[in-house]
Amino acid sequence: LAKTTQPISMDSYEGQEVNITCSHNNIATNDYITWYQQFPSQGPRFIIQGYKTKVTNEVASLFIPADRKSSTLSLPRVSLSDTAVYYCLVGPNNAGNMLTFGGGTRLMVKP
Amino acid sequence: DTAVSQTPKYLVTQMGNDKSIKCEQNLGHDTMYWYKQDSKKFLKIMFSYNNKELIINETVPNRFSPKSPDKAHLNLHINSLELGDSAVYFCASSQDPGIYGYTFGSGTRLTVV
């Protein structure tokens, strides 16, 4: 499984756009990139997944460069409720795969 | 309606005891998992069951034994609890993780004293 590296923490203010970058230099050809969000005392929640270029949904955008060795989760106009830990995962796109979540990025949104 | 529910939410017990954590999902997913989250927030897969059959068994002590009576339930039994077992244990399920990812329960905080 490809190892991922993310910043340990980030601070932002309400209304700002937040970009969290994840490095995955040894990503394999069949690996997808998935991001999860975890609030205190809750399990992680799937946010977005992509393979290459750009993916956008109602929550976030995911930017993946051509070499796929990194990816950036973009949260538009964050609010206080976006304060959470964000995990980047890289792994095979099939049921039963083993995914170990790294330490994630702790995002603190301030008023 | 909670999609993936775990009980209990908190569990405090003494070393050497045996305890169980229950998990149920009402999503109709075929695959269920147990994850362990340590104090540094690393989430590590422990077990995975697909339609009641064990398909993933990571390097976990034999004291941990999962049981799946049907595909909607995956319970975790832990024998002879040790201090190092203190962590938050998450149950999860998936049908097509490539599209929808994994659905996690809210976790069970286990404290061994």
Side-chain angles (χ1 to χ4, degrees), chain B residues 5-6 11 18 21 33 41 55-56 63 79 81 84 98 105-106:
Chain B
S5 59
Q6 300 178 225
L11 185 53
D18 303 338
I21 307 172
Y33 312 80
K41 300 298 183 184
I55 55 172
I56 294 173
R63 300 181 294 103
N79 289 326
L81 279 156
S106 58

Side-chain angles (χ1 to χ4, degrees), chain B residues 95-108:
Chain B
Q95 187 61 30
D96 188 342
I99 300 175
Y100 303 111
Y102 301 82
T103 303
F104 283 83
S106 58
T108 297

Side-chain angles (χ1 to χ4, degrees), chain B residues 19-61:
Chain B
K19 291 293 179 184
S20 292
I21 307 172
K22 295 185 177 181
C23 179
E24 176 181 4
Q25 54 100 359
N26 62 4
L27 299 166
H29 289 169
D30 287 333
T31 310
M32 296 184 71
Y33 312 80
W34 276 109
Y35 276 84
K36 179 181 179 182
Q37 186 168 43
D38 60 26
S39 57
K40 294 184 178 179
K41 300 298 183 184
F42 282 79
L43 264 164
K44 294 182 181 177
I45 184 116
M46 300 173 68
F47 301 102
S48 173
Y49 269 73
N50 183 273
N51 257 318
K52 301 192 298 177
E53 287 192 27
L54 178 66
I55 55 172
I56 294 173
N57 185 352
E58 281 296 276
T59 307
V60 176

Side-chain angles (χ1 to χ4, degrees), chain B residues 82-99:
Chain B
E82 300 176 357
L83 293 176
D85 297 331
S86 296
V88 181
Y89 292 84
F90 287 98
C91 177
S93 71
S94 70
Q95 187 61 30
D96 188 342
I99 300 175

Side-chain angles (χ1 to χ4, degrees), chain A residues 35-72:
Chain A
W35 285 80
Y36 285 79
Q37 174 191 57
Q38 185 178 24
F39 296 115
S41 301
Q42 292 186 28
R45 181 178 74 105
F46 174 91
I47 301 177
I48 197 166
Q49 179 173 268
Y51 184 80
K52 62 180 179 180
T53 63
K54 177 185 174 183
V55 179
T56 297
N57 61 22
E58 65 278 5
V59 176
S61 294
L62 179 58
F63 298 91
I64 305 168
D67 66 6
R68 303 199 328 122
K69 292 183 184 298
S70 66
S71 59
T72 299

